[in-house]
Amino acid sequence: MKNFAFILILLASKICLAQNVPFKQLRYDEDYRYLTTDTSDSWYKRLKFAPVSKNKESFFSFGGEVRYQYFHFNNQDWGAAPEKNDGFILTRYLGHIDFHAGNHFRTFVQLQSSLANGEAESPSPVDQNLLDVHQAFVDLSDDNLTLRLGRQELSYGSQRLVSVREAPNNRQSFDAAKFMFAKGHSKFDLFFSYYVTARPDIFDDRINSGTRFWGAYSTFTNIPFLRNIDLYYLVVRKKTAVFEAGKGLEMRHSVGSRIWASTTLWQYDLEGVYQFGNFNNDRISAWTMSANISYTLKSSGLEPKIGVKTEAISGDRQMRDGRLNTFNPLFPKGAYFGLAALIGPSNLLDAHPYVELNISKNLVFTEDCDLFWRMSKNDGLYAVNGKLIYSGNPSQSRYIGWQLGSTLEYSPNKHLYLRQELTWFNAGDFIRASGPGKDILMTGSTITYKF
């Protein structure tokens, strides 16, 4: 009840929030120096922009987030998981302090607390992490170049490979050194990092020395014909990687490109990745191609957006042939195919038509249908975190099943976001041959408040 009262207080306080705050998914990308010339004297302005020098070039900024989620599953994990009749609740708190000393020095610190209540099994660290330092870095900047050192979130492109993992309860971070260069329509990042392993207790998150991640990512916008393009090279070294083909040391290189644009009518996002390297004594050769194309009917009252997504993601073609063809999605967003997060992007072929309807300015309804097949009959089915769910051996069927999702999203202002989702997964031949094979029904409710 205390938590519920707290969220009510926050909701009531929105009346006082006069600023149209441009909140971003990466909170460190927010810049409140525009308030330098604001002559108002509200408590909220002082929270977002608190100068500590006469010229106002040195200042503090404070912010945070409270998120509540309720989930209820029928036949979770296709009937393999214990049933929880009354569902479970996930809660996430984020709070940050951002300090700028002129244009050359900046430090950003963010704490995260993620709580899980009512799960049938002990919650994983992705669901429950009582309190920890999620980010703590310094920026040293000069003109177009910035050096960022410390614990930080990494997010690139459409977040297919490198994501903040927004949908799960506990966002992910890296201990990294990153050079960032930006000029005109070009941006270039070069980084080296260690993955930060989430642990369930207080201030116990640690560097995972067994998982190193480095690479380069560049973005070019306003290019003739192509509009926007990303080019990247990413490397992951994992001391212990697990696939259907076995367990061992993985050294994987990913080379990819993404072409994307969003106009008034058309939106498209096309991406291709090839992976090579070594896994144990095997040679890695894996790939993926994805497309997300949509068209908005502006002439209609609801302005429907009609689109289709599709992905082809390689799986291991044959066991013990000296090659590993299973694609590694690296550090993807947790809800890759909806909040139910049932399937991960490895050894997969999917077709995903959808439609979005703007019921009002702040209310959006989405209906989508996702059909799944295994790319290779000799490889298994993987979860979003890369864990093998079912081996490829029980069935020679490629057909995994299809998923129907309905989502209603309401954003009355910049601070408040509500989402209701209903997902039904119809188990296909492979699922039924590999386990209990029951259909899944998931309902999920989310309320998020940012300040």
Side-chain angles (χ1 to χ4, degrees):
M1 290 300 295
K2 290 182 179 179
N3 287 339
F4 185 68
F6 178 65
I7 198 72
L8 285 180
I9 292 171
L10 286 175
L11 295 177
S13 70
K14 72 183 178 67
I15 299 173
C16 304
L17 306 182
Q19 298 294 339
N20 190 23
V21 181
F23 295 123
K24 298 185 178 181
Q25 188 178 65
L26 299 173
R27 299 301 299 268
Y28 56 68
D29 280 344
E30 297 171 8
D31 189 347
Y32 293 93
R33 277 175 284 203
Y34 72 90
L35 292 174
T36 302
T37 57
D38 191 325
T39 57
S40 65
D41 191 31
S42 68
W43 67 268
Y44 186 68
K45 178 201 167 183
R46 294 193 297 271
L47 181 73
K48 304 309 294 181
F49 184 75
V52 292
S53 63
K54 290 184 178 180
N55 60 10
K56 298 185 179 182
E57 291 183 355
S58 297
F59 65 92
F60 283 95
S61 182
F62 303 87
E65 170 190 313
V66 179
R67 188 180 77 175
Y68 282 70
Q69 291 184 304
Y70 169 79
F71 293 100
H72 184 275
F73 281 85
N74 286 336
N75 302 323
Q76 188 170 1
D77 297 340
W78 297 284
E83 285 292 325
K84 183 65 178 177
N85 293 330
D86 56 353
F88 58 93
I89 295 174
L90 302 178
T91 311
R92 183 173 75 195
Y93 302 95
L94 290 166
H96 67 259
I97 301 173
D98 190 7
F99 173 68
H100 292 252
N103 295 319
H104 302 294
F105 178 84
R106 181 257 193 115
T107 183
F108 183 93
V109 177
Q110 184 180 50
L111 298 182
Q112 178 173 234
S113 176
S114 305
L115 307 175
N117 294 285
E119 292 189 279
E121 300 178 299
S122 298
S124 74
V126 173
D127 284 341
Q128 178 153 299
N129 190 350
L130 295 181
L131 180 63
D132 231 295
V133 177
H134 180 58
Q135 298 191 82
F137 63 78
V138 297
D139 282 355
L140 304 174
S141 303
D142 186 20
D143 294 330
N144 302 312
L145 183 64
T146 299
L147 170 62
R148 178 168 294 168
L149 298 170
R151 184 163 297 181
Q152 57 193 272
E153 293 180 337
L154 297 177
S155 175
Y156 288 111
S158 60
Q159 300 191 55
R160 289 188 181 96
L161 299 179
V162 187
S163 167
V164 298
R165 200 174 61 192
E166 164 62 17
N169 211 30
N170 199 60
R171 289 168 66 137
Q172 65 188 357
S173 60
F174 301 79
D175 283 339
K178 180 167 66 171
F179 286 96
M180 298 175 284
F181 176 81
K183 187 174 183 180
H185 300 298
S186 303
K187 293 193 298 182
F188 180 80
D189 285 6
L190 182 67
F191 66 92
F192 180 88
S193 72
Y194 287 90
Y195 184 69
V196 176
T197 300
R199 302 188 182 192
D201 296 323
I202 297 176
F203 297 121
D204 62 342
D205 288 2
R206 297 288 184 270
I207 288 178
N208 184 344
S209 60
T211 302
R212 304 176 193 174
F213 180 49
W214 67 94
Y217 201 101
S218 58
T219 299
F220 305 94
T221 58
N222 289 343
I223 294 177
F225 182 67
L226 294 178
R227 301 299 294 272
N228 309 294
I229 184 169
D230 296 352
L231 300 171
Y232 53 88
Y233 169 63
L234 306 171
V235 185
V236 65
R237 183 186 186 277
K238 295 187 71 173
K239 183 178 180 180
T240 306
V242 181
F243 301 95
E244 170 110 9
K247 177 180 178 181
L249 175 66
E250 176 187 21
M251 182 75 172
R252 187 180 295 248
H253 306 256
S254 300
V255 179
S257 178
R258 171 179 174 246
I259 301 171
W260 51 279
S262 180
T263 67
T264 304
L265 299 178
W266 284 98
Q267 303 83 37
Y268 60 85
D269 189 322
L270 311 173
E271 189 164 4
V273 185
Y274 178 71
Q275 296 182 332
F276 60 95
N278 295 282
F279 172 71
N280 282 338
N281 296 319
D282 293 346
R283 182 166 63 88
I284 293 173
S285 179
W287 57 273
T288 183
M289 297 183 67
S290 62
N292 182 1
I293 302 172
S294 61
Y295 181 78
T296 303
L297 299 171
K298 288 292 184 181
S299 58
S300 173
L302 296 177
E303 296 188 353
K305 178 191 288 187
I306 302 171
V308 62
K309 304 176 187 177
T310 184
E311 292 182 292
I313 309 170
S314 68
D316 205 20
R317 290 195 294 267
Q318 188 172 341
M319 297 295 165
R320 293 177 292 279
D321 63 347
R323 292 184 181 182
L324 176 66
N325 308 114
T326 307
F327 185 79
N328 183 343
L330 304 183
F331 306 96
K333 48 191 173 184
Y336 207 91
F337 301 105
L339 276 182
L342 304 176
I343 295 174
S346 296
N347 189 35
L348 203 64
L349 177 65
D350 80 281
H352 186 178
Y354 63 93
V355 60
E356 292 182 7
L357 302 176
N358 289 281
I359 299 174
S360 69
K361 181 180 178 181
N362 302 315
L363 185 63
V364 178
F365 175 76
T366 303
E367 186 74 23
D368 60 62
C369 182
D370 214 335
L371 295 92
F372 301 101
W373 297 266
R374 288 187 297 155
M375 179 63 72
S376 171
K377 292 190 294 184
N378 294 316
D379 202 351
L381 179 67
Y382 294 84
V384 179
N385 62 2
K387 181 181 178 181
L388 183 67
I389 301 175
Y390 289 127
S391 168
N393 293 327
S395 170
Q396 286 299 298
S397 174
R398 295 182 187 270
Y399 181 52
I400 299 169
W402 62 280
Q403 176 178 294
L404 184 67
S406 302
T407 305
L408 191 64
E409 298 172 278
Y410 180 55
S411 304
N413 53 56
K414 292 287 185 177
H415 305 272
L416 184 62
Y417 169 79
L418 298 96
R419 175 184 176 117
Q420 182 65 43
E421 180 167 333
L422 176 67
T423 299
W424 179 54
F425 191 101
N426 180 258
D429 294 341
F430 175 75
I431 294 291
R432 291 197 295 268
S434 302
K438 297 180 180 180
D439 294 347
I440 295 175
L441 179 65
M442 186 279 289
T443 56
S445 303
T446 298
I447 178 169
T448 304
Y449 191 89
K450 294 183 179 181
F451 61 92

